[in-house]
Amino acid sequence: MKDSALYYSVGALLYCPANNETICDSIIHNKFVKPFSLALCLEDTIPDHLVLQAEQICYHSLLNIWNASEKQEFYLPKIFIRIRNPEQMLRLYHHLGELMSLICGFIVPKFALDNADAYIHNLCEINSTSKQPVYMMPIYESSSIIDLRTRYDILYTLKEKIDAIEKWILNIRVGGNDLCHVFGYRRHADESIHQIKPIASIFSDINTIYGRDYVISGAVWEYFDGAYWEEGLREEIMQDKLCGFIGKTVIHPKQIPVVNSAYAVHITDYKSAKAILNWDSTSKTLVSSDPQKVRMNEYKTHANWAKKIMLIAEHYGITINDEC
């Protein structure tokens, strides 16, 4: 498992079309609840004929943020650019120049066998000259991972490829909407993606293969208003956590505080994790009741869970709210 808080710190990742000219003002004037990360999207949210224009708007947005940061203090989120292809990744890296210091990494959509090598090659080339690490977050959403006859081979082969650059893979992300699109599915606000069995099966396989070595983020939640949207988001995050996901893609600022509060570590878990990691080395037993005297703690069984809980708490904090 990842043993650095960095990999757990992407958190609520706010998606924004890269041609949104108001996003820099929102960042500079702290209009969003923090913490959060930001994804400037040049892929599905941008019409094909407007990509170059969107790249220029993205450049000027980053330039405005850069210039403002020289004059005033404000919360600067981790910023990622969601690209379309490996060539765009390399071209943007060179085009942005010193503005790359604002960029945490690139989000790679539809990561698959036919593009993985090119993405990895270009990321290595970027990191060979970059003054700071440039990370990649591949999205597993290609229809190629649906076929049961080849799914395992594809997922394991892709893992072998990214294992070679594991230190630069900040998160694995899953594309719930893209996978649902193949089947013509769409969940309502009172339904969870984990109820859609073909999609849940893919997610389960990804977590089984990647979950021991990588942080995997939950699928996007489409609802930000109307009946049950917040309750539905909290319910899906509860199931996300149970299935091994940490963090979530969001598409509206209203979703950020919901994600943050839902991932906050409950005080009982925090106390248990702390007790497990500070186990009395002179004790004659490796099992004990937890500090609240309601469940069993076992050092050898729960140590990895405890380490993960402490890392998650570093980013999301601690809560006494029993709904989290």
Side-chain angles (χ1 to χ4, degrees):
M1 58 168 281
K2 292 296 185 185
D3 58 0
S4 168
L6 171 67
Y7 296 93
Y8 299 84
S9 66
V10 177
L13 177 63
L14 177 63
Y15 261 57
C16 174
N19 60 359
N20 182 331
E21 298 185 65
T22 67
I23 188 63
C24 59
D25 181 72
S26 296
I27 298 298
I28 293 166
H29 293 96
N30 290 309
K31 293 186 177 180
F32 303 144
V33 175
K34 58 188 180 188
F36 70 96
S37 298
L38 177 67
L40 298 173
C41 180
L42 288 165
E43 201 226 0
D44 286 348
T45 62
I46 305 297
D48 294 345
H49 67 286
L50 295 179
V51 172
L52 292 179
Q53 180 190 80
E55 288 183 8
Q56 286 305 110
I57 294 172
C58 179
Y59 177 90
H60 287 292
S61 293
L62 292 170
L63 182 60
N64 288 337
I65 293 172
W66 170 280
N67 289 334
S69 69
E70 297 289 301
K71 304 172 185 176
Q72 66 188 86
E73 289 188 6
F74 52 88
Y75 176 75
L76 187 62
K78 288 181 174 64
I79 301 177
F80 302 87
I81 300 177
R82 174 167 162 149
I83 51 180
R84 290 182 165 226
N85 52 60
E87 295 73 29
Q88 188 181 41
M89 174 197 281
L90 201 56
R91 178 163 49 81
L92 285 174
Y93 169 71
H94 292 297
H95 178 58
L96 289 174
E98 64 179 0
L99 295 180
M100 272 300 299
S101 64
L102 296 174
I103 302 301
C104 187
F106 294 98
I107 300 172
V108 173
K110 300 171 182 63
F111 188 68
L113 291 180
D114 60 358
N115 58 33
D117 289 337
Y119 276 121
I120 291 170
H121 177 273
N122 286 358
L123 186 70
C124 290
E125 183 173 333
I126 287 169
N127 276 291
S128 70
T129 59
S130 177
K131 295 178 180 179
Q132 65 188 38
V134 177
Y135 295 95
M136 185 171 83
M137 297 199 295
I139 310 178
Y140 285 63
E141 59 186 350
S142 167
S143 59
S144 65
I145 61 175
I146 291 176
D147 193 329
L148 288 169
R149 295 168 297 183
T150 56
R151 180 188 302 169
Y152 295 159
D153 288 342
I154 291 173
L155 290 176
Y156 275 110
T157 300
L158 288 174
K159 185 175 186 298
E160 290 172 1
K161 291 179 181 296
I162 66 170
D163 281 350
I165 55 165
E166 180 183 347
K167 62 183 178 181
W168 295 325
I169 303 296
L170 201 58
N171 281 181
I172 300 290
R173 310 195 74 85
V174 294
N177 282 350
D178 277 67
L179 293 171
C180 283
H181 167 69
V182 178
F183 294 95
Y185 298 153
R186 191 177 192 182
R187 65 199 186 280
H188 295 102
D190 61 348
E191 298 168 334
S192 164
I193 199 164
H194 300 284
Q195 294 174 275
I196 307 174
K197 297 305 182 183
I199 309 303
S201 172
I202 297 172
F203 287 177
S204 177
D205 290 339
I206 291 171
N207 261 300
T208 299
I209 295 170
Y210 291 81
R212 288 174 292 176
D213 301 311
Y214 297 93
V215 174
I216 307 171
S217 179
V220 66
W221 178 258
E222 297 179 299
Y223 298 90
F224 56 87
D225 209 339
Y228 204 74
W229 79 267
E230 185 173 338
E231 295 88 343
L233 175 54
R234 287 187 180 278
E235 175 66 24
E236 183 164 286
I237 292 175
M238 182 182 73
Q239 296 177 33
D240 284 347
K241 292 193 294 184
L242 192 60
C243 293
F245 294 103
I246 301 169
K248 204 161 184 70
T249 299
V250 301
I251 45 78
H252 194 281
K254 288 169 64 175
Q255 296 176 334
I256 295 171
V258 180
V259 173
N260 286 340
S261 64
Y263 271 99
V265 172
H266 195 274
I267 187 65
T268 58
D269 282 342
Y270 181 79
K271 288 180 177 180
S272 277
K274 194 172 181 180
I276 291 165
L277 296 178
N278 292 309
W279 204 277
D280 182 359
S281 60
T282 65
S283 174
K284 295 181 180 180
T285 178
L286 293 178
V287 62
S288 173
S289 61
D290 75 339
Q292 286 69 43
K293 309 297 183 184
V294 296
R295 63 179 175 181
M296 177 191 74
N297 282 343
E298 186 175 357
Y299 178 78
K300 286 188 175 181
T301 301
H302 297 128
N304 283 344
W305 169 85
K307 293 173 186 175
K308 190 176 292 186
I309 286 294
M310 300 301 282
L311 291 167
I312 294 171
E314 278 193 49
H315 179 75
Y316 294 100
I318 303 166
T319 182
I320 60 173
N321 187 348
D322 287 331
E323 293 180 1
C324 296

